[in-house]
Amino acid sequence: MTATRGLEGIVATTSSISSIIDDTLTYVGYNIDDLAEHASFEEVIYLLWHRRLPTKAELDEIKKDLAENAELPKEVLDHFKTYPIKQVHPMAALRTAVSLLGLFDPEADEMTEEANYRKAIRLQAKIPTIVTAFSRIRKGLEPVAPRKDLSFAANFLYMLTGNEPDEIAVEAFNKALVLHADHELNASTFTARVCVATLSDVYSGITSAIGALKGPLHGGANEQVMKMLTEIGSIENVEPYIHNKLNNKEKIMGFGHRVYRKGDPRAKHLRKMSEKLTKLTGEPHWYDMSTKIEEIVTSEKGLPPNVDFYSASVYHSLGIDHDLFTPIFAVSRVSGWLAHILEQYANNRLIRPRAEYTGPGKQQYVPIEQRG
């Protein structure tokens, strides 16, 4: 047996959910460009879970189901108030809250197909409420209850700020949700599938996935991109800052991708939204710095930007706290995680790979009195 570091190039399962072929991302055969321009996030959720786009009646039904399940148990809201707020990252709060939610779901350990679908609805509906409620509680504000008359994207922004968002903000956020919904067998999705392949419950699978997404080499990259932009500060500082990083062989967050060679097809959509939003907010320097960084890194390292790079300035322009960027990734990606969890349950086999042993051999036990 020979190991492959990071399982690069290893095909670990079959799936009918999403594909990355020749640098083209599709959800159930629909090109991401088509979906990003035309689909609502609710349509994408339905597509990932049912492998087809919904009819008008089916779309209305899933919207209704999500709206009716968005509220959190009081115990979860009260639990946030016990956290050491100044040191708790929102991703840690989200991970803990999702695990806690399982304690209040009477169907948590019910493993029928119907029960698992109902749990999927509850989790998809409640994760935005978790993120926004924690964000407000840590600032000493009361959570804003979800509204049943708003779209998924609009409702998130409303619960975050208490104000109904404008049309451009909703368009930008909906587009970001669509682009982040699924991405084949990425680290967090693989983690979720490994977890539930033991026939553990849906809440355990999503908690595991959130733990994997928390890392800066996965979901945490967009937060690090905004940190970099803030450190640079102005367009004049871009060249010396980036060249210093490159000369010291430091990683530039938001560039390159394990499975794309010509570039992440999602990045261009957020690049356009970044340009539009930064102009509207009177802060075009965020976009200008980003394009200058892209120019340098792409020309000198041959690395195009990935989806994380421009999502940072998009979220910043929407007035979202920087440490909420990764939880927002989870708000979207939970739709893909749940699709993969349901697919894993439907045709399950325990995921148990092997390891190439590189330690010593032919050792013999020596009594402790004889050890030097």
Side-chain angles (χ1 to χ4, degrees):
M1 295 184 297
T2 302
T4 301
R5 287 192 68 204
L7 299 182
E8 185 169 357
I10 300 297
V11 177
T13 190
T14 59
S15 177
S16 61
I17 299 168
S18 66
S19 70
I20 302 168
I21 301 171
D22 295 330
D23 279 9
T24 299
L25 171 64
T26 69
Y27 297 166
V28 198
Y30 290 90
N31 191 297
I32 193 62
D33 294 339
D34 195 11
L35 294 172
E37 291 301 324
H38 302 111
S40 68
F41 182 56
E42 292 91 332
E43 287 179 286
V44 168
I45 295 170
Y46 193 97
L47 172 65
L48 294 175
W49 293 2
H50 296 274
R51 310 300 191 274
R52 61 179 177 82
L53 288 171
T55 64
K56 176 66 167 60
E58 289 165 339
L59 181 58
D60 289 344
E61 182 180 7
I62 197 169
K63 284 181 176 180
K64 178 174 176 288
D65 289 343
L66 291 169
E68 290 179 347
N69 284 277
E71 290 191 6
L72 294 176
K74 182 178 182 297
E75 293 86 350
V76 174
L77 293 173
D78 290 343
H79 201 256
F80 286 147
K81 298 173 184 178
T82 70
Y83 294 178
I85 295 296
K86 290 184 179 179
Q87 65 192 59
V88 173
H89 192 283
M91 278 298 285
L94 176 61
R95 179 193 60 212
T96 303
V98 168
S99 182
L100 184 62
L101 269 182
L103 303 182
F104 297 96
D105 190 333
E107 292 189 302
D109 294 315
E110 177 62 54
M111 295 297 284
T112 65
E113 183 178 340
E114 295 77 15
N116 282 331
Y117 185 81
R118 289 192 292 271
K119 284 178 280 186
I121 287 285
R122 290 177 201 131
L123 276 161
Q124 184 71 64
K126 286 176 167 52
I127 282 184
T129 317
I130 290 172
V131 173
T132 55
F134 177 76
S135 175
R136 292 181 66 83
I137 286 171
R138 69 175 178 167
K139 296 176 181 177
L141 302 171
E142 285 299 310
V144 174
R147 275 172 46 179
K148 295 182 180 180
D149 61 320
L150 296 177
S151 69
F152 193 97
N155 206 24
F156 179 90
L157 296 173
Y158 167 71
M159 289 190 292
L160 190 65
T161 65
N163 301 311
E164 191 167 334
D166 61 39
E167 194 173 308
I168 292 176
V170 174
E171 177 195 356
F173 197 66
N174 181 81
K175 196 181 294 286
L177 292 174
V178 169
L179 292 169
H180 284 94
D182 196 55
H183 206 231
E184 202 219 46
L185 208 59
N186 57 85
S188 54
T189 299
F190 186 59
T191 300
R193 292 191 76 134
V194 169
C195 179
V196 302
T198 69
L199 295 186
S200 190
D201 65 285
V202 174
Y203 287 95
S204 295
I206 298 300
T207 302
S208 301
I210 292 169
L213 187 71
K214 185 173 180 288
L217 295 185
H218 190 11
N222 52 13
E223 182 181 341
Q224 296 302 313
V225 170
M226 201 62 221
K227 180 182 177 184
M228 174 179 67
L229 291 172
T230 304
E231 287 175 354
I232 293 171
S234 67
I235 191 73
E236 296 79 18
N237 297 329
V238 169
E239 285 204 43
Y241 182 97
I242 296 300
H243 280 122
N244 182 61
K245 288 267 189 187
L246 294 176
N247 291 337
N248 291 324
K249 301 190 184 308
E250 295 179 42
K251 185 175 180 63
I252 310 294
M253 301 305 290
F255 284 87
H257 200 285
R258 176 74 67 85
V259 298
Y260 294 118
R261 293 295 172 260
K262 298 176 184 176
D264 188 332
R266 302 167 295 176
K268 60 182 178 288
H269 297 283
L270 291 174
R271 192 182 200 271
K272 290 178 185 175
M273 291 310 306
S274 174
E275 182 178 20
K276 182 187 292 188
L277 286 170
T278 55
K279 281 182 181 177
L280 283 172
T281 57
E283 295 185 314
H285 65 285
W286 297 119
Y287 175 76
D288 294 339
M289 283 194 292
S290 299
T291 56
K292 185 65 176 176
I293 294 168
E294 178 185 354
E295 178 188 319
I296 296 170
V297 176
T298 301
S299 64
E300 297 197 15
K301 300 295 291 183
L303 294 174
N306 57 42
V307 71
D308 298 307
F309 188 66
Y310 284 102
S311 69
S313 50
V314 167
Y315 294 155
H316 175 81
S317 297
L318 291 172
I320 297 170
D321 293 340
H322 298 172
D323 62 357
L324 291 182
F325 290 2
T326 312
I328 286 171
F329 196 151
V331 166
S332 170
R333 184 57 59 84
V334 68
S335 60
W337 292 337
L338 289 163
H340 281 268
I341 285 172
L342 296 175
E343 184 177 62
Q344 186 69 38
Y345 284 145
N347 186 28
N348 189 52
R349 181 169 174 78
L350 180 69
I351 299 172
R352 203 293 189 193
R354 300 292 305 279
E356 180 185 0
Y357 178 69
T358 59
K362 298 183 179 178
Q363 303 257 62
Q364 288 192 335
Y365 181 84
V366 177
I368 194 165
E369 300 84 14
Q370 298 174 23
R371 297 177 210 162

